[in-house]
Amino acid sequence: MGSFFLIPVILIAAVILFSSFFIVKQQTAVAIERFGRFQSIRGSGLQLKIPLVDRIAGRLSLKIQQLDVIVETKTLDDVFVKLKISVQYVVLKDKVYEAFYRLEYPHEQITSYVFDVVRAEVPKMKLDDVFVKKDDIAIAVKTELQEAMFDYGFDIIKTLVTDIDPDAQVKNAMNRINASEREKIAAQFEGDAARILIVEKAKAEAESKRLQGQGIADQRREIARGLEESVEVLNKVGINSQEASALIVVTQHYDTLQSIGEETNTNLILLPNSPQAGSDMLNDMVASFTASNMIGEEMKKKNPKGKGD
């Protein structure tokens, strides 16, 4: 009978003994109270407390935490904008008591300071300056929070302005302005490219004309040199210059007819090609040279010294 009552006592004692031990995870702090009064702060590992006397009042994470706060305010140029402020904070290991007992809702406290700083800084700036000086806003928020939250056991690691969201109509207007600027720049580049093409094309055409003219001049020079040599050869066999020139012209005439006949894709050209045509051309050439010589002789008689009237 006595052993029957002994078993429950042993079980209760075992439960009480095991409840004396508790485990605290890494990067965590536990506040212990004794009869409702703060007793101690326990760190990570296996810990012991007095059963039925001590109790775990709460646990605090010592890891870096992040709180995102969205603040809507107005800029200096009367544009409503929403800013997302990310606050990274941590509980100081030597100030766990202050963090646990002095602030009941630390998130609300941090949020209030963020609203206060942002709504004091942003209305001083135009919308474009908000985008450019977002780091200045983040520094101002961190400075204010650092001073205010340190006494409560919190250290502010970093504050970031992670998003700036103006009113939808303002964003559309900004996009249109940006698109117009880009189209303007694109038009300028296209105009410059077209101008460069025109200039380069004109340069190429001018160079082509110059080379073409040089080629024609060289061709005519060689033709003249060839004619001169031909006349000299004919003079050596007793043919005077006028007859030699006429003979060369007739020969070139028939050479031209021959080359035209050899080309299959030559356009239609009408030239005198009868046997009488060569004779007529030769007579015309001789008559022309004779008339030219007679005119020259008459001019020499009228002006023997080469002076003008």
Side-chain angles (χ1 to χ4, degrees), residues 13-29:
V15 171
I16 293 174
L17 178 62
F18 280 109
S19 65
S20 300
F21 296 94
F22 63 96
I23 296 175
V24 180
K25 294 182 179 180
Q26 188 69 30
Q27 289 296 94
T28 304

Side-chain angles (χ1 to χ4, degrees), residues 12-300:
I12 293 173
V15 171
I16 293 174
L17 178 62
F18 280 109
S19 65
S20 300
F21 296 94
F22 63 96
I23 296 175
V24 180
K25 294 182 179 180
Q26 188 69 30
Q27 289 296 94
T28 304
V30 173
I32 301 297
E33 292 180 350
R34 181 172 295 171
F35 299 116
R37 185 176 181 180
F38 171 75
Q39 177 61 29
S40 62
I41 299 295
R42 306 291 179 86
S44 60
L46 180 64
Q47 300 290 339
L48 178 65
K49 64 181 177 65
I50 300 175
L52 304 178
V53 176
D54 295 340
R55 76 177 187 90
I56 297 176
R59 298 173 183 266
L60 280 178
S61 175
L62 301 180
K63 298 178 182 179
I64 296 176
Q65 303 178 63
Q66 179 168 306
L67 175 64
D68 294 329
V69 182
I70 297 178
V71 184
E72 184 175 10
T73 184
K74 187 175 70 171
T75 62
L76 184 62
D77 46 355
D78 295 330
V79 176
F80 282 93
V81 60
K82 291 182 180 179
L83 284 81
K84 183 178 180 181
I85 311 296
S86 296
V87 180
Q88 298 174 356
Y89 65 95
V90 65
V91 176
L92 297 171
K93 292 183 179 181
D94 57 346
K95 287 182 173 292
V96 175
Y97 174 85
E98 288 82 355
F100 185 77
Y101 285 100
R102 295 190 64 182
L103 281 180
E104 185 173 5
Y105 302 107
H107 287 185
E108 284 77 358
Q109 189 77 8
I110 293 174
T111 300
S112 298
Y113 280 108
V114 172
F115 268 82
D116 181 65
V117 175
V118 171
R119 289 182 172 174
E121 294 293 329
V122 174
K124 301 176 184 177
M125 306 177 183
K126 293 183 178 181
L127 180 60
D128 292 338
D129 294 335
V130 174
F131 285 93
V132 175
K133 299 181 180 180
K134 66 183 186 68
D135 291 339
D136 295 343
I137 299 174
I139 292 173
V141 172
K142 180 182 179 181
T143 302
E144 184 71 18
L145 285 176
Q146 191 79 45
E147 296 177 357
M149 300 302 294
F150 181 79
D151 292 337
Y152 297 109
F154 292 89
D155 182 28
I156 306 301
I157 304 299
K158 189 76 173 179
T159 58
L160 301 170
V161 180
T162 57
D163 189 21
I164 301 174
D165 187 18
D167 184 78
Q169 294 181 353
V170 176
K171 287 195 293 185
N172 292 334
M174 293 174 67
N175 290 334
R176 289 197 300 271
I177 293 173
N178 188 27
S180 299
E181 288 294 329
R182 293 182 181 275
E183 289 176 358
K184 180 180 177 181
I185 294 174
Q188 290 176 348
F189 277 108
E190 291 177 357
D192 292 341
R195 180 179 59 82
I196 292 173
L197 288 176
I198 293 172
V199 172
E200 293 301 323
K201 183 178 180 180
K203 290 181 179 179
E205 291 180 354
E207 181 66 15
S208 175
K209 296 296 184 182
R210 185 185 68 82
L211 295 176
Q212 184 179 2
Q214 182 178 350
I216 293 173
D218 293 340
Q219 180 185 13
R220 291 175 177 175
R221 188 179 302 110
E222 292 301 322
I223 292 173
R225 185 177 294 113
L227 292 174
E228 181 181 4
E229 293 176 356
S230 299
V231 171
E232 290 178 357
V233 171
L234 293 174
N235 287 337
K236 291 179 180 180
V237 296
I239 299 175
N240 59 37
S241 299
Q242 294 181 358
E243 294 174 345
S245 299
L247 180 60
I248 292 171
V249 169
V250 173
T251 303
Q252 288 182 341
H253 171 72
Y254 285 105
D255 289 341
T256 303
L257 292 177
Q258 181 181 358
S259 63
I260 292 175
E262 292 175 353
E263 296 292 336
T264 57
N265 296 325
T266 304
N267 293 330
L268 178 62
I269 299 176
L270 297 178
L271 290 175
N273 59 351
S274 62
Q276 186 63 29
S279 177
D280 292 342
M281 186 178 298
L282 179 59
N283 293 332
D284 292 340
M285 290 291 298
V286 173
S288 297
F289 282 117
T290 302
S292 177
N293 289 333
M294 291 177 64
I295 294 173
E297 291 297 330
E298 290 294 330
M299 293 180 66
K300 289 180 180 179

